[in-house]
Short mmCIF file of all heavy atoms in Angstrom, two decimals:
data_model
loop_
_atom_site.label_atom_id
_atom_site.label_comp_id
_atom_site.label_asym_id
_atom_site.label_seq_id
_atom_site.Cartn_x
_atom_site.Cartn_y
_atom_site.Cartn_z
N GLY A 210 8.80 38.53 38.39
CA GLY A 210 8.30 37.61 39.30
C GLY A 210 9.16 36.21 39.11
O GLY A 210 10.27 36.33 38.74
N GLY A 211 8.47 35.25 39.25
CA GLY A 211 9.13 33.77 39.30
C GLY A 211 9.00 33.48 40.84
O GLY A 211 8.92 34.41 41.67
N LYS A 212 8.96 32.18 41.02
CA LYS A 212 8.60 31.78 42.43
C LYS A 212 9.65 31.80 43.31
O LYS A 212 9.63 31.61 44.58
CB LYS A 212 7.99 30.29 42.31
CG LYS A 212 6.74 30.31 41.34
CD LYS A 212 6.21 28.90 41.18
CE LYS A 212 6.99 28.00 40.26
NZ LYS A 212 7.16 28.46 38.77
N ARG A 213 10.96 31.94 42.81
CA ARG A 213 12.16 31.96 43.62
C ARG A 213 12.27 30.65 44.51
O ARG A 213 12.72 30.77 45.64
CB ARG A 213 12.24 33.30 44.54
CG ARG A 213 11.96 34.54 43.87
CD ARG A 213 13.12 34.97 42.94
NE ARG A 213 12.87 36.28 42.47
CZ ARG A 213 12.70 36.64 41.17
NH1 ARG A 213 12.69 35.65 40.22
NH2 ARG A 213 12.59 37.82 40.83
N LEU A 214 11.92 29.53 43.93
CA LEU A 214 12.05 28.30 44.65
C LEU A 214 13.39 27.90 45.03
O LEU A 214 13.69 27.39 46.06
CB LEU A 214 11.23 27.24 43.87
CG LEU A 214 9.76 27.13 43.94
CD1 LEU A 214 9.28 26.10 42.89
CD2 LEU A 214 9.42 26.75 45.28
N ARG A 215 14.34 28.20 43.97
CA ARG A 215 15.65 27.68 44.21
C ARG A 215 16.39 28.51 45.25
O ARG A 215 16.91 27.76 46.24
CB ARG A 215 16.50 27.81 42.78
CG ARG A 215 15.75 26.83 41.85
CD ARG A 215 16.08 27.11 40.45
NE ARG A 215 15.26 26.34 39.43
CZ ARG A 215 14.08 26.51 39.02
NH1 ARG A 215 13.33 27.57 39.53
NH2 ARG A 215 13.55 25.78 38.13
N GLU A 248 19.62 31.43 41.48
CA GLU A 248 18.58 31.98 40.76
C GLU A 248 19.15 32.70 39.48
O GLU A 248 18.43 32.66 38.48
CB GLU A 248 17.83 33.16 41.67
CG GLU A 248 16.58 33.72 41.00
CD GLU A 248 15.42 32.66 40.89
OE1 GLU A 248 15.45 31.52 41.38
OE2 GLU A 248 14.49 32.96 40.24
N VAL A 250 21.62 31.55 37.69
CA VAL A 250 21.84 30.45 36.74
C VAL A 250 20.47 30.15 36.14
O VAL A 250 20.41 29.95 34.91
CB VAL A 250 22.52 29.27 37.47
CG1 VAL A 250 22.49 28.07 36.44
CG2 VAL A 250 23.89 29.52 37.79
N HIS A 251 19.41 30.02 36.97
CA HIS A 251 18.12 29.71 36.41
C HIS A 251 17.65 30.78 35.44
O HIS A 251 17.21 30.33 34.35
CB HIS A 251 17.19 29.64 37.71
CG HIS A 251 15.75 29.66 37.30
ND1 HIS A 251 15.19 28.57 36.52
CD2 HIS A 251 14.65 30.40 37.67
CE1 HIS A 251 13.83 28.71 36.30
NE2 HIS A 251 13.53 29.81 37.00
N GLY A 253 19.58 32.92 33.74
CA GLY A 253 20.40 32.89 32.48
C GLY A 253 19.90 31.72 31.61
O GLY A 253 19.86 31.91 30.38
N SER A 254 19.45 30.61 32.19
CA SER A 254 19.04 29.53 31.39
C SER A 254 17.76 29.73 30.79
O SER A 254 17.40 29.27 29.64
CB SER A 254 19.01 28.22 32.18
OG SER A 254 17.92 28.13 32.94
N LEU A 255 16.87 30.65 31.37
CA LEU A 255 15.63 30.95 30.79
C LEU A 255 15.85 31.88 29.54
O LEU A 255 15.10 31.85 28.59
CB LEU A 255 14.69 31.68 31.88
CG LEU A 255 14.27 30.86 33.05
CD1 LEU A 255 13.38 31.72 33.96
CD2 LEU A 255 13.48 29.64 32.66
N HIS A 257 18.32 31.84 27.69
CA HIS A 257 18.82 30.96 26.52
C HIS A 257 17.72 30.00 25.95
O HIS A 257 17.58 29.84 24.76
CB HIS A 257 20.04 30.20 27.01
CG HIS A 257 21.31 30.93 27.07
ND1 HIS A 257 22.57 30.52 27.38
CD2 HIS A 257 21.49 32.32 26.87
CE1 HIS A 257 23.38 31.39 27.49
NE2 HIS A 257 22.81 32.49 27.25
N ASP A 258 16.89 29.50 26.94
CA ASP A 258 15.85 28.59 26.51
C ASP A 258 14.84 29.43 25.65
O ASP A 258 14.33 28.81 24.58
CB ASP A 258 15.13 28.28 27.77
CG ASP A 258 14.16 26.95 27.64
OD1 ASP A 258 14.62 26.05 26.96
OD2 ASP A 258 12.98 27.04 27.98
N MET A 261 16.08 29.66 22.17
CA MET A 261 15.91 28.33 21.39
C MET A 261 14.43 28.01 21.00
O MET A 261 14.22 27.53 19.94
CB MET A 261 16.40 27.20 22.36
CG MET A 261 17.80 27.11 22.67
SD MET A 261 18.19 25.75 23.84
CE MET A 261 19.85 26.11 24.23
N ARG A 267 7.39 35.47 28.62
CA ARG A 267 7.90 34.70 29.73
C ARG A 267 7.48 35.41 30.98
O ARG A 267 7.50 36.61 31.13
CB ARG A 267 9.42 34.72 29.67
CG ARG A 267 10.23 34.17 30.85
CD ARG A 267 10.20 32.76 31.21
NE ARG A 267 10.79 31.91 30.24
CZ ARG A 267 10.95 30.48 30.38
NH1 ARG A 267 10.25 29.97 31.52
NH2 ARG A 267 11.54 29.78 29.58
N ARG A 268 7.04 34.69 31.96
CA ARG A 268 6.53 35.24 33.21
C ARG A 268 5.47 36.37 32.89
O ARG A 268 5.47 37.33 33.58
CB ARG A 268 7.64 35.76 34.01
CG ARG A 268 8.56 34.67 34.57
CD ARG A 268 9.68 35.33 35.36
NE ARG A 268 10.55 34.24 36.03
CZ ARG A 268 11.73 34.46 36.62
NH1 ARG A 268 12.35 35.59 36.65
NH2 ARG A 268 12.41 33.37 37.12
N LEU A 290 25.00 34.47 33.90
CA LEU A 290 25.72 33.35 34.32
C LEU A 290 27.18 33.66 34.89
O LEU A 290 27.65 33.15 35.80
CB LEU A 290 26.00 32.33 33.16
CG LEU A 290 24.73 31.68 32.58
CD1 LEU A 290 25.13 30.85 31.29
CD2 LEU A 290 24.14 30.69 33.57
N ILE A 312 26.06 24.17 35.64
CA ILE A 312 25.74 24.71 34.39
C ILE A 312 26.07 23.87 33.31
O ILE A 312 25.37 23.73 32.41
CB ILE A 312 26.56 26.16 34.26
CG1 ILE A 312 26.30 27.15 35.48
CG2 ILE A 312 26.40 26.73 32.89
CD1 ILE A 312 27.05 28.38 35.36
N LEU A 315 23.21 21.41 33.04
CA LEU A 315 22.05 21.99 32.43
C LEU A 315 22.28 21.97 30.92
O LEU A 315 21.26 21.63 30.16
CB LEU A 315 21.92 23.55 32.93
CG LEU A 315 20.75 23.87 33.89
CD1 LEU A 315 21.18 23.35 35.25
CD2 LEU A 315 20.56 25.37 33.83
N CYS A 316 23.37 22.28 30.39
CA CYS A 316 23.57 22.27 29.02
C CYS A 316 23.47 20.89 28.45
O CYS A 316 22.83 20.61 27.39
CB CYS A 316 24.99 22.92 28.63
SG CYS A 316 25.10 24.63 29.01
N GLN A 319 19.79 19.78 28.30
CA GLN A 319 19.17 20.46 27.12
C GLN A 319 19.53 19.93 25.80
O GLN A 319 18.73 19.70 24.95
CB GLN A 319 19.48 22.01 27.29
CG GLN A 319 18.62 22.93 26.31
CD GLN A 319 17.25 23.12 26.84
OE1 GLN A 319 16.79 22.53 27.80
NE2 GLN A 319 16.46 23.92 26.09
N LYS A 343 18.60 18.97 33.12
CA LYS A 343 18.02 20.35 32.80
C LYS A 343 17.32 21.00 34.03
O LYS A 343 17.24 22.17 34.11
CB LYS A 343 17.22 20.46 31.45
CG LYS A 343 15.92 19.94 31.56
CD LYS A 343 15.11 20.41 30.32
CE LYS A 343 13.52 20.21 30.68
NZ LYS A 343 12.64 20.79 29.66
N THR A 344 16.79 20.11 34.89
CA THR A 344 16.09 20.78 36.05
C THR A 344 16.60 20.26 37.41
O THR A 344 16.78 21.00 38.31
CB THR A 344 14.54 20.37 35.86
OG1 THR A 344 14.14 20.85 34.53
CG2 THR A 344 13.78 20.93 36.89
N TYR A 348 18.27 22.06 41.36
CA TYR A 348 17.63 21.86 42.61
C TYR A 348 18.41 21.28 43.58
O TYR A 348 18.58 21.69 44.80
CB TYR A 348 16.29 21.22 42.49
CG TYR A 348 15.02 22.05 42.13
CD1 TYR A 348 14.44 22.06 40.85
CD2 TYR A 348 14.48 22.94 43.08
CE1 TYR A 348 13.44 22.86 40.40
CE2 TYR A 348 13.53 23.81 42.67
CZ TYR A 348 13.00 23.87 41.45
OH TYR A 348 11.92 24.70 41.05
N PHE A 380 9.26 17.93 40.13
CA PHE A 380 8.85 19.19 39.52
C PHE A 380 8.73 19.19 38.03
O PHE A 380 7.79 19.67 37.59
CB PHE A 380 9.88 20.18 40.04
CG PHE A 380 9.56 21.73 39.63
CD1 PHE A 380 8.98 22.51 40.53
CD2 PHE A 380 10.06 22.16 38.43
CE1 PHE A 380 8.71 23.80 40.20
CE2 PHE A 380 9.86 23.44 38.10
CZ PHE A 380 9.14 24.32 39.00
N GLN A 381 9.79 18.67 37.35
CA GLN A 381 9.73 18.69 35.96
C GLN A 381 8.71 17.89 35.41
O GLN A 381 8.05 18.18 34.24
CB GLN A 381 11.13 18.32 35.32
CG GLN A 381 11.19 18.63 33.85
CD GLN A 381 10.93 20.08 33.49
OE1 GLN A 381 11.69 20.92 33.92
NE2 GLN A 381 10.07 20.37 32.71
N ASP A 384 5.56 19.77 35.74
CA ASP A 384 5.66 20.83 34.69
C ASP A 384 5.12 20.39 33.35
O ASP A 384 4.41 21.07 32.57
CB ASP A 384 6.99 21.39 34.71
CG ASP A 384 7.11 22.85 34.12
OD1 ASP A 384 6.44 23.70 34.80
OD2 ASP A 384 7.85 23.07 33.17
C1 GRG B 50 23.84 28.24 29.86
C2 GRG B 50 22.79 27.82 32.19
C3 GRG B 50 22.72 27.58 30.60
C4 GRG B 50 21.77 26.90 30.11
C5 GRG B 50 21.78 26.53 28.68
C6 GRG B 50 18.94 26.63 27.80
C7 GRG B 50 19.54 25.54 28.68
C8 GRG B 50 20.93 25.24 28.55
C9 GRG B 50 18.78 24.84 29.62
C10 GRG B 50 17.38 25.23 29.82
C11 GRG B 50 17.09 24.53 30.98
C12 GRG B 50 15.57 24.86 31.34
C13 GRG B 50 14.98 26.15 30.84
C14 GRG B 50 14.94 24.11 32.06
C15 GRG B 50 13.48 24.13 32.49
C16 GRG B 50 13.49 24.57 33.92
C17 GRG B 50 12.18 24.93 34.36
C18 GRG B 50 11.39 23.91 35.00
C19 GRG B 50 11.87 26.24 34.28
C20 GRG B 50 10.68 26.74 35.04
O1 GRG B 50 11.03 27.09 36.26
P1 GRG B 50 10.04 27.81 37.40
O2 GRG B 50 8.70 27.34 37.25
O3 GRG B 50 10.04 29.31 36.73
O4 GRG B 50 10.80 27.69 38.75
P2 GRG B 50 9.97 30.61 37.56
O5 GRG B 50 9.42 31.53 36.42
O6 GRG B 50 8.93 30.39 38.77
O7 GRG B 50 11.34 31.01 38.16
#
Side-chain angles (χ1 to χ4, degrees):
K212 299 176 287 297
R213 309 291 189 244
L214 279 172
R215 296 158 187 83
E248 188 66 10
V250 170
H251 171 54
S254 79
L255 296 181
H257 288 183
D258 195 51
M261 291 178 192
R267 166 71 69 177
R268 293 178 173 166
L290 293 175
I312 293 172
L315 253 75
C316 293
Q319 189 75 355
K343 78 167 196 174
T344 304
Y348 276 106
F380 180 92
Q381 188 61 57
D384 201 58

